[in-house]
Amino acid sequence: SILATVTTALPPYAGRILDEAAAATEADWHPEAFLSGTNSLFVIAPVDGEADQPAPIVVGLLSELYSAARRLSDQSGGRLPNPSLWVLDEVANIPPLPKLPQWLAESAGRGLTFLLGAQDYAQLAERWGKEGATAMWSNLTNKVVFPGISNPDTLRQLEQLAGKRWEQQTSY
């Protein structure tokens, strides 16, 4: 059962929370109502590979929320009543979201903003393939780059985006 899988995979969460989740019915979960309010949801899942058991639950939850966001934005004239921010840190290492490149392509116009964290462009290409990674890279309007990138392909892409600038410096 799902409860047995979660209980095995996430022992720190065992107890009251899992008992309440097991008692819940489909009628208790209203993703459109959740997205219409000023709510927060924090999903803390093990890194992909450490414990694959929760992956279907995480993917199912996020997929259901995204479907609800599409329905709700369609009913609200194309945009969500309340903007929504989805922060997916270590996106290439969390349970796989196969449709994430498609979500990024259409989400901004719906009032849904994604903030993705990845160590390198190569991680995105490994997870979603070259076409998926290219689509994701193109649909992310802002890119924040931290020091330490050494992948030549990533550095070339960044150079193409930012251009070259030569500056003479005098050192003493």
Side-chain angles (χ1 to χ4, degrees):
S1 78
I2 292 173
L3 178 60
T5 301
V6 171
T7 303
T8 306
L10 303 172
Y13 300 102
R16 182 186 58 80
I17 294 171
L18 288 179
D19 291 342
E20 289 175 12
T25 66
E26 188 175 320
D28 293 330
W29 171 241
H30 303 283
E32 284 90 352
F34 179 84
L35 290 166
S36 294
T38 55
N39 301 300
S40 297
L41 173 67
F42 298 88
V43 178
I44 301 169
V47 173
D48 188 33
E50 284 183 9
D52 288 333
Q53 295 92 341
I57 297 168
V58 172
V59 172
L61 173 66
L62 294 177
S63 296
E64 180 61 28
L65 276 171
Y66 188 80
S67 295
R70 288 184 71 192
R71 287 189 302 271
L72 188 58
S73 65
D74 287 345
Q75 295 166 2
S76 303
R79 294 189 63 81
L80 290 170
N82 296 315
S84 184
L85 172 65
W86 290 25
V87 179
L88 305 175
D89 191 21
E90 293 293 341
V91 70
N93 295 319
I94 63 173
L97 297 165
K99 294 188 177 189
L100 186 58
Q102 294 168 280
W103 292 358
L104 292 174
E106 67 173 24
S107 62
R110 295 181 181 276
L112 177 57
T113 302
F114 281 89
L115 192 154
L116 306 181
Q119 298 298 318
D120 194 288
Y121 178 85
Q123 284 186 313
L124 302 177
E126 184 178 328
R127 174 68 81 167
W128 286 278
K130 185 172 171 80
E131 288 182 13
T134 300
M136 291 170 69
W137 188 258
S138 295
N139 286 304
L140 292 168
T141 55
N142 296 298
K143 291 142 185 82
V144 178
V145 181
F146 294 102
I149 293 177
S150 58
N151 181 312
D153 292 332
T154 302
L155 292 170
R156 273 191 291 280
Q157 288 179 342
L158 292 170
E159 182 182 58
Q160 287 175 346
L161 287 172
K164 289 184 183 182
R165 178 178 173 204
W166 298 97
E167 187 174 311
Q168 184 175 352
Q169 292 184 335
T170 305
S171 62
Y172 300 96

